[in-house]
Amino acid sequence: QVQLVESGGGSVQPGGSLRLSCAASGIIPRIHAMKWYRQASGKERELVATITSGGNTNYADSAKGRFTISRDNAKNLVYLQMNSLKPEDTAVYYCKADTSWGFYWGQGTQVTVSS
């Protein structure tokens, strides 16, 4: 089983930055991609950023130019650097692993952007 634990969420003013971390532990199979999703209150969960095993990245339009996904394979960590945060970025952010055994989710970390 794969366990994913997110951290780094919190409250920040508009224009601020946060870096989210996702730590993978347990018996880790082949990981095809790591993804960050978010879910705002009353809305569906949406894909924010993806990084493949080959290091290719992809972003939602809302995240392009402001968010950066990266990974440290040696430490089984995935990061989401979020800059120029806006109130509409307020959500619970989830880490997801797409693996050869299936999909795994973390428990989420709250990000609140407010003045």
Side-chain angles (χ1 to χ4, degrees):
Q1 286 287 347
V2 179
Q3 290 83 45
L4 301 175
V5 179
E6 301 96 336
S7 61
S11 295
V12 64
Q13 292 186 342
S17 298
L18 284 173
R19 188 177 81 157
L20 306 183
S21 299
C22 173
S25 62
I27 301 174
I28 302 174
R30 178 178 174 85
I31 295 177
H32 302 304
M34 295 294 296
K35 301 179 179 180
W36 284 98
Y37 284 75
R38 66 186 182 187
Q39 187 167 19
S41 180
K43 296 188 177 181
E44 294 186 355
R45 193 171 296 190
E46 63 174 351
L47 177 61
V48 175
T50 301
I51 186 165
T52 69
S53 59
N56 295 318
T57 59
N58 197 23
Y59 298 92
D61 287 343
S62 60
K64 287 179 181 177
R66 300 188 299 126
F67 294 3
T68 302
I69 188 171
S70 61
R71 64 191 299 173
D72 184 334
N73 290 331
K75 297 181 179 179
N76 291 323
L77 286 168
V78 177
Y79 303 102
L80 184 68
Q81 177 67 44
M82 304 187 295
N83 299 326
S84 302
L85 284 162
K86 305 175 182 179
E88 51 263 43
D89 295 317
T90 296
V92 178
Y93 284 70
Y94 297 91
C95 176
K96 180 188 176 194
D98 295 356
T99 80
S100 56
W101 291 354
F103 304 141
Y104 298 90
W105 291 90
Q107 83 290 348
T109 185
Q110 176 71 46
V111 171
T112 302
V113 185
S114 175
S115 56

